């Protein structure tokens, strides 16, 4: 099946996870939340829901919002300071999301997760049931890692991985990763002007994993290597995945309309897929 046909089939996806990175939600100059982009993101997601889709948002930004709130200029390195910033920022982030979703009469909910949520079998089933119930109620769950209590041992490591884990847990049809890059390139386009864009990946093999050198932005944590790890997890679980640029949140409906934007990774469901196998891997 060719890329164009697969793009057309994205219109029929029912359960969609959208991940938005910190760099897509903040002003590069100040680190403050970009309210226009957040409002447009909410409008796009609500419109997807109005189309009859089930939507889950995985949103970064808690630490970035928290550090800005208390006037901290640089990213904190000390774990306890990161967690304190996350505690302050998560509350503010949800307050803003709730305000915007309420303007469109859309129910939103908060879900905070750690690896412990999923490593324990009973917790994993409960988490899946909670997501199913929220979606059945017509809510859009907003997911983030529970940074306030996470330690290194129970961290997902980044929200690219978390979004792929959520997609696998809820058996999503499609995962959309919005970042500060147009998609997958043969090399880092910021450093190599000859880097070529890759619009379609049939299978995430070792060749692609080695390509994932990527760059890390000031406000985010995930480079291209984490996105390729997420692609391997999500596609193995049976979801298509698209990496696209979140500079314009309108890219969401363009993806869903089958337009050739971003890099499309074709699902390759493996018969022996077991989510725990991926959680046992060390965090990136």
């Amino acid at each position: 099946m060719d890329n164009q046909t697969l793009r057309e089939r994205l219109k029929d996806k029912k359960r969609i996870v959208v991940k938005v990175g910190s760099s897509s939600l903040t002003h590069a100059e100040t680190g403050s939340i970009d309210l226009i982009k957040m409002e447009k993101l909410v409008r796009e997601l609500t419109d997807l829901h109005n189309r009859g889709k089930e939507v889950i948002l995985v949103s970064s930004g808690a630490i970035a919002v928290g550090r800005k709130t208390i006037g901290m200029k640089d990213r904190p390195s000390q774990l306890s300071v990161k967690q304190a910033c996350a505690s302050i920022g998560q509350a503010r982030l949800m307050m803003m999301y709730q305000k915007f979703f309420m303007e469109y009469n859309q129910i939103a909910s908060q879900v905070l997760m750690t690896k412990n949520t999923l490593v324990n079998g009973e917790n994993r089933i409960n988490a899946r049931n909670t997501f199913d119930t929220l979606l059945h109620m017509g809510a859009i769950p907003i997911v983030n890692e529970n940074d306030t209590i996470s330690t290194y041992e129970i961290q997902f490591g980044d929200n690219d991985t978390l979004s792929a884990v959520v997609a696998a847990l809820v058996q999503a049809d499609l995962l959309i990763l919005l970042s500060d890059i147009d998609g997958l390139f043969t090399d880092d386009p910021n450093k190599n002007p000859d880097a070529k864009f890759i619009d379609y990946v049939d299978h995430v093999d070792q060749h692609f994993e080695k390509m994932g050198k990527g760059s890390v932005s000031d406000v985010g944590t995930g480079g291209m290597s984490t996105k390729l790890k997420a692609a391997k997890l999500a596609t193995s679980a049976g979801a298509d995945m698209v990496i696209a640029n979140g500079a314009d949140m309108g890219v969401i409906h363009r993806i869903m309309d089958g337009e050739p934007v971003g890099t499309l990774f074709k699902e390759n469901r493996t018969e022996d897929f077991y989510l725990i196998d991926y959680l046992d891997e060390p965090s990136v």
Side-chain angles (χ1 to χ4, degrees), residues 1-269:
M1 193 176 297
D2 62 19
N3 180 21
Q4 186 174 353
T5 305
L6 287 168
R7 294 278 185 177
E8 286 290 321
R9 289 181 60 180
L10 295 183
K11 297 177 182 178
D12 301 323
K13 300 296 183 181
K14 174 69 175 175
R15 182 169 286 190
I16 301 143
V17 177
V18 178
K19 180 263 178 179
V20 180
S22 302
S23 60
S24 297
L25 284 177
T26 54
H27 287 287
E29 303 82 3
T30 63
S32 296
I33 285 288
D34 187 329
L35 294 173
I36 292 174
K37 287 175 74 173
M38 179 181 269
E39 194 270 344
K40 189 166 184 181
L41 168 65
V42 167
R43 193 164 75 239
E44 288 278 333
L45 297 180
T46 302
D47 193 65
L48 272 189
H49 185 267
N50 289 349
R51 290 195 202 189
K53 311 294 187 185
E54 295 176 327
V55 183
I56 296 172
L57 172 65
V58 177
S59 175
S60 304
I63 294 176
V65 171
R67 92 185 205 216
K68 191 66 184 176
T69 301
I70 61 173
M72 185 181 295
K73 291 184 178 179
D74 300 317
R75 288 182 64 182
S77 56
Q78 189 178 343
L79 180 61
S80 60
V81 177
K82 285 183 182 178
Q83 293 178 322
C85 287
S87 179
I88 295 167
Q90 184 64 32
R92 288 213 168 194
L93 196 61
M94 280 305 302
M95 182 177 68
M96 287 186 276
Y97 272 126
Q98 289 283 19
K99 177 179 171 58
F100 282 130
F101 274 113
M102 283 173 63
E103 288 182 4
Y104 295 102
N105 199 30
Q106 173 59 52
I107 301 167
S109 71
Q110 175 178 256
V111 179
L112 297 177
M113 299 173 67
T114 66
K115 274 189 183 176
N116 280 356
T117 312
L118 301 175
V119 171
N120 178 282
E122 187 175 345
N123 287 349
R124 191 166 63 252
I125 293 169
N126 286 342
R128 168 68 197 264
N129 289 341
T130 299
F131 275 114
D132 283 344
T133 303
L134 284 167
L135 294 172
H136 181 71
M137 288 176 172
I140 294 180
I142 303 172
V143 186
N144 199 355
E145 183 158 1
N146 196 347
D147 292 311
T148 301
I149 64 166
S150 287
T151 58
Y152 178 78
E153 291 77 18
I154 61 172
Q155 288 175 340
F156 291 102
D158 60 273
N159 274 359
D160 293 326
T161 302
L162 174 60
S163 64
V165 167
V166 170
L169 177 70
V170 304
Q171 296 178 338
D173 306 306
L174 175 63
L175 170 61
I176 299 174
L177 293 189
L178 297 183
S179 184
D180 53 2
I181 194 165
D182 294 334
L184 181 64
F185 288 80
T186 54
D187 197 359
D188 187 342
N190 295 316
K191 298 175 183 176
N192 182 359
D194 295 324
K196 292 180 174 57
F197 181 72
I198 301 169
D199 66 345
Y200 172 68
V201 175
D202 184 71
H203 185 71
V204 183
D205 54 20
Q206 289 185 339
H207 168 70
F208 285 107
E209 290 175 24
K210 287 178 182 176
M211 283 168 45
K213 290 176 284 187
S215 59
V216 178
S217 64
D218 175 54
V219 290
T221 55
M224 188 52 69
S225 61
T226 69
K227 289 168 179 55
L228 286 169
K229 179 184 175 185
K232 188 173 182 181
L233 198 169
T235 55
S236 297
D240 286 333
M241 187 181 112
V242 176
I243 299 175
N245 199 319
D248 177 8
M249 293 299 176
V251 74
I252 294 174
H253 76 256
R254 293 179 62 200
I255 291 169
M256 295 306 302
D257 288 343
E259 292 187 29
V261 290
T263 301
L264 171 61
F265 295 79
K266 178 180 172 292
E267 67 91 6
N268 284 283
R269 188 189 301 273

